[in-house]
Amino acid sequence: MKSALEIKPDISYKSAGKFEETRFEKIHNEIFKSSAEASVIVAQEIAQLIRSKQEKNKSCVLGLATGSSPIKVYAELVRMHKEEGLSFSNVITFNLDEYYPMTKENNQSYHYFMHQHLFNHIDIKPENVNIPDGTVSIDELNQYCIDYEMNIKQAGGLDFQLLGIGRTGHVGFNEPGSHINSGTRIITLDHITRVDASSDFNGIDNVPKRAITMGVSTIMRSKRIVLMAWGQNKADIIKRTIQGDISSEVPATFLQNHPNATFVLDQSAASELTRFKTPWLVGECIWTQELKSKAIVWLCQKTKQSILKLTDRDYNNNGMSDLLAQEGSAYDLNINMFNVLQHTITGWPGGKPNTDDSHRPERANPAKKRVILFSPHPDDDVISMGGTFSKLIKQGHDVHVVYQTSGNIAVTDDEALKFAEVAKDFIGEAGSGINFKSVIEFLNSKSENQIDSLEVRKLKGLIRRRESYAATRYIGLKDENTHFLDLPFYETGQVKKNPLGPEDIEIVKDIIAKIKPHQVFAAGDLADPHGTHEVCLNAIFAAMAALKPEKYMDDCWLWLYRGAWHEWDIHEIDMAVPLSPSEVLLKRHAILYHQSQKDRVMFQGNDSREFWVRAEDRNKNTAILYDELGLAEYEAIEAFKRFDY
């Protein structure tokens, strides 16, 4: 069977990278600007395979994965079925894995996932769907796994296997230590895998400790393999898998020996590969200003020297001789880079009035700006830019904070029950529009997979809303400048959200048109565990693009901050706002007003620290990096990147 890479020109993968030398890499990979673009290409390959098999009157046997990586692939396949007539009548599927024990009806089961995202929306025959059964008794499990292997073999083997990858390097649930000859079996999940799944299960204590998984040998027998990875949190394991040695400690490295495997990545997941992170170590580069900045910061960190101490020898010994020859001397390179970084630092994030702004990140005029601070959840504002938020208010700007979603699913049942009981005791059933007795009864009898009632969701949203008011009042914002959009895409009552819709974009457009801002701050962190930040940012992009013809948008700048998961790299920062020790403390206290998110963070990703600790550590680390590069020493720094929309 030919892969999509061999079937040209109908379908082809196209790398977005500029540097084509890949001598460090041991697995073929293709890089795309976005997961959405890449997912469409993968879905097209699967569709073409299905159709080619149909023409020969043969079955098409697909190995399928779960998790966040393949969701957009499945959505595109569903679209092709509904709009282009793609039939799945000849398709037989085998899923990689399932938690154990796990009932099919549980909304955390992979059986539920696959039917929700794919099988319920296409014409596949139910008898052709094979998903490991998490209810098989432990006594019968060994034979069940043998039979699962035999069923794959009798179907003719896997024509195509779709994979994701875990931070441990697992494919399927083949955790570190899995043997290359392993078959379908029960396995104990690695702690990191369970931590990563904990937000789906409302805490690690609820994550199953075992799973049934296809083995490494089962996967390796597939005729074609496509592994997908999206986001910064996959970058380290992708580098280890593609560039490292084959080892059972990183089971995905076994794919280096597969004759027809492709890794399909977005730019964030590929960011640690040598050809992207340090391309000057691979071959000649086109030295853009951004690449020069990236290289010089890297050189300082590697040599443990400040910028102004770098020498010609440092450049020559670290793959940058062509840059040195182009610029003339280390002195010129160093001075230019020092000035670039120096000019990012400002204590005036809204611009400093009556001052030359030619070397400042923000304009001096207008001296008093209208500012919108978009916050995806009701705490991202203070977590990500609480100090800058405070400065903008103190420096006299007309600041508006806009919370895009209610954040209600991040409130635990225990927290909601506590508020409901206090409210019922204090005001009875009147005065809030919520029947607290009903809420208490619902929460006390709520089953494991039950979606919150509308009243419970309303209460949880009110909890987040009142915490936000408390935090913004502490920062110094007037209540009338605090806005809650409650975007409809979020209001499903589940972790899984609806796609961004025209109504969401229209709501964001309306608030921008009402305020007519000179500055917009938005969350540019796309690494949040369930994608809400990305959807919220896309809503802002779409709204601002639609409003671009408006005259007031000519004077509107968009600044992106990072959320709770990652910070901008030094070379990416366009505005660095220093914080004093008292401002760091003010920011901490503002974050702590979000009490429902303290102590038990429901959606913390792969970082077990509380949000206020993460924020403080990150801001202090940015200040340390500036100091080590030879710039002024500060207590902490909040960082922003300007985006040309």
Side-chain angles (χ1 to χ4, degrees):
M1 172 195 165
K2 290 187 176 183
S3 75
L5 293 169
E6 298 168 316
I7 304 172
K8 296 179 178 179
D10 298 324
I11 299 175
S12 64
Y13 292 95
K14 184 178 180 183
S15 174
K18 294 179 181 178
F19 309 100
E20 299 302 326
E21 293 184 53
T22 58
R23 60 190 174 91
F24 291 94
E25 298 169 17
K26 303 170 185 177
I27 298 177
H28 175 233
N29 61 88
E30 296 292 344
I31 319 301
F32 292 84
K33 289 183 178 179
S34 70
S35 60
E37 176 190 356
S39 296
V40 169
I41 297 294
V42 173
Q44 288 174 349
E45 178 176 352
I46 294 171
Q48 184 165 307
L49 174 61
I50 292 170
R51 289 178 175 129
S52 68
K53 290 283 189 175
Q54 286 169 347
E55 291 172 0
K56 300 170 186 174
N57 200 29
K58 292 183 177 179
S59 296
C60 179
V61 185
L62 302 178
L64 299 180
T66 51
S68 59
S69 298
I71 287 176
K72 292 174 184 174
V73 173
Y74 296 149
E76 178 64 12
L77 289 172
V78 170
R79 187 200 65 78
M80 285 192 277
H81 169 68
K82 292 181 176 179
E83 298 179 12
E84 299 176 9
L86 174 65
S87 175
F88 292 77
S89 59
N90 69 320
V91 173
I92 301 172
T93 66
F94 290 89
N95 261 77
L96 281 165
D97 42 30
E98 178 61 280
Y99 290 110
Y100 186 87
M102 180 64 68
T103 63
K104 295 177 181 179
E105 297 75 26
N106 191 311
N107 60 17
Q108 302 304 335
S109 74
Y110 289 158
H111 184 280
Y112 182 93
F113 176 98
M114 290 305 305
H115 284 79
Q116 182 185 34
H117 289 285
L118 183 62
F119 298 145
N120 287 345
H121 313 289
I122 58 176
D123 63 339
I124 193 168
K125 298 174 183 176
E127 62 268 25
N128 286 350
V129 171
N130 298 275
I131 303 172
D133 188 349
T135 65
V136 175
S137 70
I138 194 71
D139 295 338
E140 298 173 345
L141 196 52
N142 185 55
Q143 186 60 49
Y144 176 84
C145 292
I146 293 171
D147 292 343
Y148 200 78
E149 290 276 339
M150 290 303 299
N151 289 339
I152 295 173
K153 194 171 184 179
Q154 289 169 5
L158 298 171
D159 294 312
F160 183 102
Q161 177 64 64
L162 192 64
L163 295 175
I165 185 171
R167 284 197 301 134
T168 63
H170 70 229
V171 285
F173 273 135
N174 291 285
E175 298 285 17
S178 295
H179 196 275
I180 192 169
N181 293 326
S182 57
T184 301
R185 68 203 187 282
I186 189 168
I187 192 166
T188 300
L189 298 177
D190 189 276
H191 177 72
I192 292 175
T193 299
R194 295 182 67 238
V195 167
D196 288 350
S198 62
S199 61
D200 291 328
F201 286 86
N202 291 336
I204 193 170
D205 292 342
N206 301 318
V207 181
K209 294 183 178 180
R210 295 182 291 179
I212 301 170
T213 184
M214 278 190 203
V216 176
S217 67
T218 320
I219 294 168
M220 292 292 287
R221 286 194 296 270
S222 305
K223 301 178 183 72
R224 168 74 169 143
I225 294 175
V226 171
L227 184 149
M228 302 180 299
W230 322 129
Q232 186 70 39
N233 63 329
K234 296 294 177 71
D236 287 334
I237 195 62
I238 285 295
K239 179 181 179 180
R240 290 179 65 192
T241 300
I242 291 178
Q243 297 187 187
D245 295 331
I246 294 174
S247 167
S248 63
E249 287 304 301
V250 183
T253 57
F254 290 128
L255 297 175
Q256 292 179 18
N257 285 332
H258 194 279
N260 193 13
T262 297
F263 279 34
V264 177
L265 315 170
D266 66 5
Q267 292 178 335
S268 295
S271 61
E272 291 295 319
L273 295 177
T274 301
R275 63 174 160 133
F276 292 103
K277 189 172 182 66
T278 52
W280 48 90
L281 299 179
V282 178
E284 290 188 3
C285 300
I286 299 172
W287 287 103
T288 63
Q289 181 57 52
E290 182 180 2
L291 191 60
K292 282 193 284 189
S293 299
K294 182 178 183 178
I296 294 170
V297 170
W298 173 85
L299 184 58
C300 288
Q301 292 171 335
K302 186 175 187 296
T303 61
K304 294 182 170 55
Q305 296 185 98
S306 62
I307 295 170
L308 297 179
K309 288 185 177 180
L310 294 174
T311 65
D312 288 359
R313 177 175 291 183
D314 292 324
Y315 284 94
N316 284 328
N317 288 350
N318 289 280
M320 296 184 218
S321 56
D322 58 333
L323 174 61
L324 188 63
Q326 175 182 308
E327 298 294 326
S329 72
Y331 177 83
D332 292 332
L333 276 167
N334 298 346
I335 286 291
N336 289 337
M337 183 60 199
F338 184 89
N339 288 336
V340 166
L341 283 181
Q342 181 68 44
H343 295 156
T344 66
I345 301 172
T346 181
W348 297 81
K352 188 172 183 178
N354 306 314
T355 306
D356 176 17
D357 60 10
S358 57
H359 295 300
R360 290 180 174 274
E362 250 296 354
R363 305 147 290 172
N365 296 311
K368 304 301 181 186
K369 295 180 173 66
R370 292 184 299 275
V371 181
I372 292 180
L373 197 175
F374 279 109
S375 180
H377 301 96
D379 60 359
D380 290 308
D381 54 335
V382 289
I383 289 172
S384 300
M385 53 174 293
T388 302
F389 188 177
S390 174
K391 283 182 186 291
L392 287 165
I393 295 170
K394 289 177 180 176
Q395 291 167 5
H397 300 287
D398 181 20
V399 181
H400 296 256
V401 64
V402 177
Y403 298 107
Q404 292 177 269
T405 72
S406 67
N408 56 29
I409 67 163
V411 178
T412 65
D413 292 344
D414 291 341
E415 190 78 7
L417 182 61
K418 176 181 71 177
F419 275 86
E421 289 173 338
V422 170
K424 181 175 178 292
D425 291 343
F426 187 65
I427 64 171
E429 303 300 335
S432 67
I434 297 175
N435 184 327
F436 291 108
K437 181 180 178 182
S438 173
V439 167
I440 293 167
E441 289 174 352
F442 177 90
L443 291 171
N444 281 326
S445 62
K446 182 179 176 183
S447 62
E448 181 181 359
N449 300 304
Q450 192 172 1
I451 296 173
D452 283 342
S453 68
L454 286 173
E455 284 196 317
V456 170
R457 283 154 55 189
K458 183 177 180 181
L459 173 61
K460 290 183 175 181
L462 286 174
I463 291 169
R464 299 298 308 267
R465 184 171 292 204
R466 288 301 163 188
E467 289 173 344
S468 298
Y469 273 122
T472 54
R473 287 167 186 163
Y474 181 74
I475 290 286
L477 191 70
K478 298 177 292 186
D479 283 0
E480 58 265 33
N481 282 21
T482 301
H483 311 270
F484 299 89
L485 302 187
D486 292 342
L487 293 180
F489 85 88
Y490 184 90
E491 297 301 323
T492 63
Q494 307 178 73
V495 170
K496 183 180 183 297
K497 305 297 184 292
N498 291 323
L500 182 69
E503 186 180 0
D504 300 301
I505 296 169
E506 200 62 32
I507 291 170
V508 176
K509 277 177 58 181
D510 288 346
I511 193 70
I512 295 174
K514 178 182 177 182
I515 296 171
K516 297 179 175 57
H518 302 99
Q519 282 185 313
V520 170
F521 289 88
D525 187 344
L526 307 184
D528 65 303
H530 294 292
T532 299
H533 281 217
E534 182 175 8
V535 179
C536 287
L537 184 61
N538 287 337
I540 295 168
F541 285 161
M544 294 184 76
L547 291 168
K548 200 163 188 177
E550 300 294 334
K551 184 65 178 173
Y552 60 83
M553 294 301 289
D554 292 343
D555 202 27
C556 180
W557 287 15
L558 175 58
W559 292 96
L560 300 182
Y561 61 82
R562 281 289 178 93
W565 292 276
H566 296 288
E567 183 57 279
W568 299 113
D569 289 333
I570 293 291
H571 71 276
E572 297 176 302
I573 296 172
D574 293 316
M575 181 162 65
V577 181
L579 306 184
S580 68
S582 61
E583 287 171 324
V584 170
L585 194 59
L586 178 143
K587 174 173 176 169
R588 181 196 301 179
H589 289 161
I591 295 171
L592 292 177
Y593 274 103
H594 293 272
Q595 295 175 9
S596 69
Q597 304 304 294
K598 191 181 180 303
D599 298 326
R600 289 196 300 169
V601 179
M602 290 182 68
F603 301 111
Q604 61 189 25
N606 54 34
D607 190 333
S608 61
R609 294 173 299 168
E610 290 187 40
F611 287 136
W612 73 269
V613 180
R614 294 191 214 184
E616 218 160 279
D617 289 349
R618 185 185 66 187
N619 296 157
K620 289 185 177 183
N621 185 59
T622 302
I624 290 169
L625 290 174
Y626 267 81
D627 179 35
E628 290 175 343
L629 291 171
L631 292 117
E633 182 179 1
Y634 296 102
E635 178 72 10
I637 289 177
E638 292 178 336
F640 304 86
K641 182 176 179 62
R642 189 175 167 200
F643 187 86
D644 294 321
Y645 57 92

